[in-house]
Amino acid sequence: MTARGWFLFSLMGVVWGIPYLMIKVAVDAVSPSTVVFTRCAIGAVLLLPFALRQGGLARAVRAHWRPLLAFACIEIIVPWFTLSDAERHLSSSTAGLLIAGVPIVGVAAARFFGDTDRLGPRRAAGLTVGLAGVAVLTAPHLTGGDARSLVEVLATVVGYATAPLIAARHLKSVSSLQLTAACLALAALVYAPAAAVTGPSVMPSGKVLAALAGLGVVCTAVAFVAFLELIKEAGPGRATVITYVNPAIAVAAGAVFLNEPLTPGIVTAFALILAGSVLATAGPAAVGEPDEGAGAVRRTDASLTPDASRTSDASRMRDVSCTPDVSGTSDASHMPDVSGTSDASRTPDVSRTPDASCT
């Protein structure tokens, strides 16, 4: 990845490594619906003014409302409730460790949705090493909890793994700020009635209020904008690898701030997780190792769109009015001319995949 990509990756590893602790603190005093509503409302209030100032928010929502609604449901509305509800019975570290299965589910989801981000030997090794590190971390912590809570965390994992694929395929032309603000506002509206009914009868303690504020400001408003930028920078498959770093950060934070034991096993797992993340987010391989496919991540927005040679059969059947000809043999009149001068301008950079309105 680029330096910018590594910065975003590191930032996300931290800010999405601490919410499990904050959620655990919050759900001990308020309902899961109140937790979700509060963090969404805070995030929306902070981001909506900036999104409106950019201009075109309403137009973007109208043009992409279907994938935007799907993203909001799969990434926020369902997973945030199931995770918060599960943490009423599971420890925060256990929940964080279970969420580390997102990259594995993400690989399967990518294949199901058309293999938008091919898996080379090096990245496969990285996922395996990272999973080994998660296993080392998980073994001492997977105690307690009921079947319902584990199913809820599994549902969260599936949502977190699938939503980035939707964002990469159908929402890359939408500003990260506008996408985040719109989804958070929608989620807040959805949970407002439930929060009103199940809200606390007395003012929560300062500790709980601080946890809710941290969830809304740091783990929601800041984190989502950074995560969507990371998807654009590195691709959905590599972006979800932060879930390997998150549990390690959670354990490290517990050792530093809560005096939890830092055992040799934890140190070993942390090293495996970091090594797996480096391998799993690596760029195209060196000479002699198979490339990760034409159209693999090239550090541009176009990298989020599969190359024409890799699109699924279904996508090849789409109407030509939605999919420009990139074969190089068609008449220039059929190619979108963005400058009218150079030959390179005949081929669009990100229009090879039709917008959500064409699917």
Side-chain angles (χ1 to χ4, degrees), residues 36-343:
V36 178
F37 167 75
T38 303
R39 68 181 298 191
C40 290
I42 292 175
V45 168
L46 290 175
L47 296 180
L48 270 176
F50 297 100
L52 292 171
R53 185 176 180 180
Q54 277 189 348
L57 175 60
R59 181 171 62 253
V61 171
R62 287 195 301 268
H64 303 88
W65 70 269
R66 289 184 180 88
L68 191 149
L69 178 61
F71 180 84
C73 290
I74 297 173
E75 177 71 20
I76 300 175
I77 295 175
V78 174
W80 285 8
F81 177 83
T82 54
L83 179 60
S84 299
D85 190 58
E87 287 204 44
R88 293 191 301 159
H89 307 287
L90 296 176
S91 67
S92 62
S93 59
T94 298
L97 293 170
L98 291 173
I99 294 296
V102 167
I104 303 302
V105 178
V107 170
R111 299 299 179 273
F112 180 79
F113 284 103
D115 191 17
T116 63
D117 203 11
R118 288 186 181 178
L119 190 68
R122 179 164 36 179
R123 291 188 60 214
L127 291 171
T128 302
V129 171
L131 185 60
V134 170
V136 173
L137 273 177
T138 302
H141 292 280
L142 284 180
T143 57
D146 56 16
R148 173 184 169 181
S149 298
L150 295 176
V151 170
E152 287 179 324
V153 176
L154 177 60
T156 304
V157 168
V158 173
Y160 285 173
T162 307
L165 299 174
I166 297 175
R169 278 177 163 237
H170 302 298
L171 296 170
K172 61 184 179 295
S173 62
V174 180
S175 161
S176 298
L177 180 60
Q178 293 182 342
L179 174 59
T180 303
C183 289
L184 291 176
L186 175 62
L189 290 175
V190 169
Y191 279 102
V197 172
T198 62
S201 57
V202 296
M203 179 65 68
S205 67
K207 183 179 179 180
V208 173
L209 293 176
L212 291 172
L215 282 170
V217 177
V218 179
C219 301
T220 301
V222 173
F224 249 98
V225 173
F227 183 57
L228 291 170
E229 288 299 318
L230 179 60
I231 293 175
K232 292 180 180 180
E233 180 75 18
R238 291 177 175 87
T240 57
V241 177
I242 59 169
T243 52
Y244 275 159
V245 180
N246 295 157
I249 295 296
V251 172
V256 172
F257 298 106
L258 302 177
N259 295 320
E260 294 178 352
L262 188 61
T263 65
I266 291 176
V267 174
T268 300
F270 190 81
L272 289 172
I273 290 170
L274 290 182
S277 297
V278 171
L279 290 172
T281 57
V287 177
E289 182 178 348
D291 195 346
E292 294 178 5
V297 174
R298 303 303 184 198
R299 319 297 185 251
T300 64
D301 287 349
S303 65
L304 302 178
T305 307
D307 191 86
S309 62
R310 294 167 50 202
T311 51
S312 62
D313 293 339
S315 65
R316 294 190 188 103
M317 298 298 290
R318 290 178 177 141
D319 189 270
V320 295
S321 63
C322 294
T323 307
D325 187 344
V326 295
S327 63
T329 59
S330 63
D331 186 81
S333 62
H334 292 94
M335 304 293 290
D337 189 320
V338 296
S339 67
T341 55
S342 64
D343 292 338

